[in-house]
Amino acid sequence: MAEPTWRERSRQSVDGPERTPHRAMYRAVGLGDEDFRRPIVGVANAAAEVTPCNVHLDALAAAAKHGVREGGATPIEFRTITVSDAIAMGHEGMKGSLISREIIADSVEVVTFAERFDALVAVGGCDKNLPGMLMAAARLNVPTVVVYGGPMLPGRFEGRDVSVQDTFEAVGRHARGAMGDEELARLERAACPGAGTCAGMYTANTMASVVEALGMMLPGGAAIPAVHALRRRSAEDSGRQVVELLRLGVRPRDILTRRAFENAIAVATALGGSTNSVLHILAIAREAGVDLPIDVFNAVSDRTPHLADMKPGGRYHMSDLFMAGGVPRVMRELLDAGVLHGDCLTVTGRTVRENLEAWEAAGPAPASDVVRPFSDPIDRQGSLTILRGNLAPDGAVMKVGPHHRGVFRGPARVFDREEAAFQAVSEGAIRPGDVVVIRYEGPRGGPGMREMLAVTSAIVGALGDQAVALVTDGRFSGATHGPMVGHVAPEAAVGGPIALVEEGDEIVIDVPNRTLSVAVPDEEMAARRARWQAPPPPYRAGALAKYARLFGSAAEGARTAP
Ligand code: FES
């Protein structure tokens, strides 16, 4: 069934005598007559030397192009940007991270729109790549397959597997004298052994798993290590498959349904995935026109146990999940228990259930304790929880686990910037039982919702991961663990209640009741509100000022919607 998508768009740019100039330009790029008779597939490539997450993507883009050609279409590669979340972490540069998601989405959309590509292969690695590319695919609604760069292998240090997470936490131990310069330097050299995304179930690997669960990536594509030969084969298969989707007329919005998003949330929460997945899933759903309120995360978490024992909270890295059967192993457990919607369509042209049956038919999953059976989970509920209350009327996000499912109550230690909180932790001014509040770090206030990994790692390094809670209108890295509440909405910069908290106010994080509150009477909060004044914007020109004006609420994915 060739119509309606087969060459529907590219014929606008290359067919007929009036398109002679266009073909002349393409001939100069290297295309010929046969290429113009085929559909044109854009290959969006986020390759860059700014991060190991993306340093190897050229080879995957080349494999995808080979697959597109074999499938019977013409590939045309173009670039988009990335930033490295780990390298941007802990300083002013992190304000560019969420902005990069919007730039990736806009750039992939605009090139595909302007060149009239018929379909898209999206090749990305670091945290914001796949969410940005999927947002573009949802807007464009041209047949799309996502190719992931894959996780880095863990490094080896003093007899144990380590990743960049260990280096962040080592900074806290080093600051309080529990780790020497020489040991820190040896860890630095061991933690990141080569190409790929940060090795645990942090944001990039969570989002790759989400994309696989949504059905927008070939089965198994999330967990294959960056350096594994299967990675190129999967990229080549993806190129071939996107041409098949063109023939079938299957578009992203046929796949990105409400039920598919519920599947994605179930997988993210069963994996103990990053809180950032809440933000990105909400944003992608809105781009796809799907009604997905933030409270759906609680409903799905209630029926989804935490199954995978993954870093940062657990023991294993993404390469261990790959050896244990990958994301399909988790999906199979959830499908058999009736948690997943097996009838959702995917980029294979088959349903989730059919994909998992094919995966199982390929051979038994190896025995391992990386993924626990549904009947014997790590935790009876999923890991992602939405809190509401007088401190977060529109919602806040917390990653919970067996160790922090109770009530955390303590005095607020209030900071208006991440750096001020980091300094207080480094100087030993934060004590067990405190609730560190970091505000004016929201989508508009930061701008860009900085991730507080440097602070949370310093806290964990200095005091362990249960002693101090943190509440912020910013975000957390996927590598953060402990009682940390982020995405507080409305944010401080627009007058959210978090702006009204004062030093010493009692903050209550009540996980069983899913509330986040400040124990201050309503009349006192009203009086504080009457005195509150919005601070001047931190940037008055350039990209940061522009995006600060455009960002929406974290409770709706912090998109820059028109
Ligand atoms: Fe790219 Fe961690 S910096 S995944």
Side-chain angles (χ1 to χ4, degrees), residues 413-415 418-431 436 455 458-459 463:
R413 307 296 311 280
V414 181
F415 304 93
E418 180 191 5
E419 285 81 356
F422 184 81
Q423 187 177 348
V425 176
S426 303
E427 292 171 352
I430 302 300
R431 289 175 291 277
V436 175
V455 178
I459 290 172
L463 298 165

Short mmCIF file of all heavy atoms in Angstrom, two decimals, residues 413-415 418-431 436 455 458-459 463:
data_model
loop_
_atom_site.label_atom_id
_atom_site.label_comp_id
_atom_site.label_asym_id
_atom_site.label_seq_id
_atom_site.Cartn_x
_atom_site.Cartn_y
_atom_site.Cartn_z
N ARG A 413 16.06 24.23 54.69
CA ARG A 413 17.30 25.00 54.52
C ARG A 413 17.22 25.58 53.12
O ARG A 413 17.32 24.83 52.14
CB ARG A 413 18.51 24.07 54.69
CG ARG A 413 18.50 23.28 56.00
CD ARG A 413 18.59 24.19 57.22
NE ARG A 413 19.66 25.17 57.08
CZ ARG A 413 20.95 24.90 57.32
NH1 ARG A 413 21.30 23.70 57.74
NH2 ARG A 413 21.88 25.83 57.16
N VAL A 414 16.98 26.86 53.02
CA VAL A 414 16.53 27.45 51.77
C VAL A 414 17.69 28.11 51.00
O VAL A 414 18.45 28.91 51.56
CB VAL A 414 15.42 28.50 52.04
CG1 VAL A 414 14.92 29.10 50.73
CG2 VAL A 414 14.27 27.86 52.80
N PHE A 415 17.77 27.77 49.71
CA PHE A 415 18.80 28.34 48.82
C PHE A 415 18.14 28.76 47.51
O PHE A 415 17.31 28.03 46.97
CB PHE A 415 19.91 27.32 48.55
CG PHE A 415 20.54 26.80 49.81
CD1 PHE A 415 20.06 25.64 50.41
CD2 PHE A 415 21.57 27.49 50.42
CE1 PHE A 415 20.62 25.16 51.58
CE2 PHE A 415 22.14 27.02 51.60
CZ PHE A 415 21.66 25.85 52.19
N GLU A 418 21.61 26.68 43.00
CA GLU A 418 22.26 25.41 43.26
C GLU A 418 23.63 25.61 43.91
O GLU A 418 24.01 24.87 44.83
CB GLU A 418 22.42 24.66 41.93
CG GLU A 418 23.11 23.31 42.09
CD GLU A 418 23.51 22.70 40.75
OE1 GLU A 418 23.34 23.36 39.70
OE2 GLU A 418 24.00 21.57 40.76
N GLU A 419 24.38 26.60 43.44
CA GLU A 419 25.75 26.79 43.93
C GLU A 419 25.77 27.07 45.43
O GLU A 419 26.66 26.61 46.15
CB GLU A 419 26.44 27.94 43.18
CG GLU A 419 26.89 27.60 41.77
CD GLU A 419 25.76 27.68 40.75
OE1 GLU A 419 24.60 27.92 41.14
OE2 GLU A 419 26.04 27.49 39.55
N ALA A 420 24.77 27.83 45.91
CA ALA A 420 24.73 28.17 47.33
C ALA A 420 24.49 26.91 48.16
O ALA A 420 25.09 26.73 49.24
CB ALA A 420 23.62 29.20 47.58
N ALA A 421 23.63 26.03 47.65
CA ALA A 421 23.36 24.77 48.37
C ALA A 421 24.61 23.89 48.37
O ALA A 421 24.95 23.28 49.39
CB ALA A 421 22.19 24.04 47.72
N PHE A 422 25.29 23.82 47.23
CA PHE A 422 26.49 22.99 47.13
C PHE A 422 27.55 23.46 48.13
O PHE A 422 28.20 22.67 48.82
CB PHE A 422 27.05 23.03 45.70
CG PHE A 422 28.23 22.12 45.50
CD1 PHE A 422 28.04 20.76 45.27
CD2 PHE A 422 29.52 22.61 45.53
CE1 PHE A 422 29.12 19.92 45.09
CE2 PHE A 422 30.61 21.78 45.37
CZ PHE A 422 30.42 20.42 45.14
N GLN A 423 27.69 24.77 48.22
CA GLN A 423 28.68 25.33 49.15
C GLN A 423 28.33 24.97 50.59
O GLN A 423 29.20 24.58 51.38
CB GLN A 423 28.75 26.84 48.98
CG GLN A 423 29.88 27.47 49.78
CD GLN A 423 29.97 28.97 49.56
OE1 GLN A 423 29.35 29.51 48.65
NE2 GLN A 423 30.74 29.64 50.38
N ALA A 424 27.04 25.07 50.91
CA ALA A 424 26.62 24.74 52.29
C ALA A 424 26.90 23.27 52.61
O ALA A 424 27.37 22.95 53.71
CB ALA A 424 25.13 25.05 52.47
N VAL A 425 26.64 22.39 51.64
CA VAL A 425 26.92 20.97 51.87
C VAL A 425 28.43 20.76 52.03
O VAL A 425 28.89 20.07 52.95
CB VAL A 425 26.39 20.10 50.69
CG1 VAL A 425 26.78 18.64 50.89
CG2 VAL A 425 24.88 20.23 50.57
N SER A 426 29.21 21.40 51.17
CA SER A 426 30.66 21.23 51.21
C SER A 426 31.25 21.73 52.53
O SER A 426 32.24 21.20 53.02
CB SER A 426 31.32 21.99 50.05
OG SER A 426 30.80 21.54 48.83
N GLU A 427 30.64 22.77 53.08
CA GLU A 427 31.16 23.35 54.34
C GLU A 427 30.61 22.63 55.57
O GLU A 427 30.88 23.04 56.70
CB GLU A 427 30.80 24.83 54.40
CG GLU A 427 31.55 25.66 53.36
CD GLU A 427 31.04 27.09 53.27
OE1 GLU A 427 30.00 27.39 53.89
OE2 GLU A 427 31.68 27.89 52.55
N GLY A 428 29.81 21.59 55.38
CA GLY A 428 29.27 20.84 56.51
C GLY A 428 28.14 21.56 57.21
O GLY A 428 27.81 21.24 58.37
N ALA A 429 27.51 22.53 56.52
CA ALA A 429 26.44 23.30 57.16
C ALA A 429 25.08 22.62 57.08
O ALA A 429 24.11 23.10 57.66
CB ALA A 429 26.35 24.70 56.50
N ILE A 430 24.99 21.51 56.33
CA ILE A 430 23.74 20.75 56.25
C ILE A 430 23.84 19.56 57.21
O ILE A 430 24.83 18.84 57.21
CB ILE A 430 23.49 20.26 54.81
CG1 ILE A 430 23.44 21.46 53.85
CG2 ILE A 430 22.21 19.44 54.73
CD1 ILE A 430 22.35 22.47 54.14
N ARG A 431 22.80 19.40 58.02
CA ARG A 431 22.83 18.34 59.05
C ARG A 431 21.80 17.27 58.74
O ARG A 431 20.79 17.54 58.07
CB ARG A 431 22.56 18.96 60.42
CG ARG A 431 23.71 19.82 60.92
CD ARG A 431 23.36 20.51 62.21
NE ARG A 431 22.34 21.53 62.03
CZ ARG A 431 22.58 22.78 61.61
NH1 ARG A 431 23.81 23.15 61.36
NH2 ARG A 431 21.60 23.64 61.47
N VAL A 436 16.76 20.31 52.29
CA VAL A 436 17.38 21.36 51.47
C VAL A 436 16.39 21.78 50.39
O VAL A 436 15.90 20.93 49.63
CB VAL A 436 18.69 20.85 50.83
CG1 VAL A 436 19.27 21.89 49.88
CG2 VAL A 436 19.69 20.48 51.92
N VAL A 455 24.91 18.54 43.86
CA VAL A 455 24.47 18.72 45.25
C VAL A 455 24.04 17.39 45.86
O VAL A 455 24.46 17.03 46.97
CB VAL A 455 23.29 19.71 45.33
CG1 VAL A 455 22.81 19.84 46.77
CG2 VAL A 455 23.69 21.07 44.79
N ALA A 458 26.99 15.26 46.51
CA ALA A 458 27.76 15.76 47.65
C ALA A 458 27.07 15.38 48.96
O ALA A 458 27.73 15.00 49.94
CB ALA A 458 27.91 17.28 47.54
N ILE A 459 25.73 15.47 48.98
CA ILE A 459 24.99 15.07 50.18
C ILE A 459 25.19 13.58 50.45
O ILE A 459 25.51 13.17 51.58
CB ILE A 459 23.48 15.39 50.02
CG1 ILE A 459 23.25 16.90 50.05
CG2 ILE A 459 22.66 14.70 51.11
CD1 ILE A 459 21.82 17.31 49.71
N LEU A 463 26.84 12.40 53.76
CA LEU A 463 25.93 11.99 54.83
C LEU A 463 25.14 10.72 54.52
O LEU A 463 24.28 10.33 55.30
CB LEU A 463 24.93 13.14 55.11
CG LEU A 463 25.56 14.46 55.59
CD1 LEU A 463 24.55 15.60 55.48
CD2 LEU A 463 26.02 14.32 57.03
#
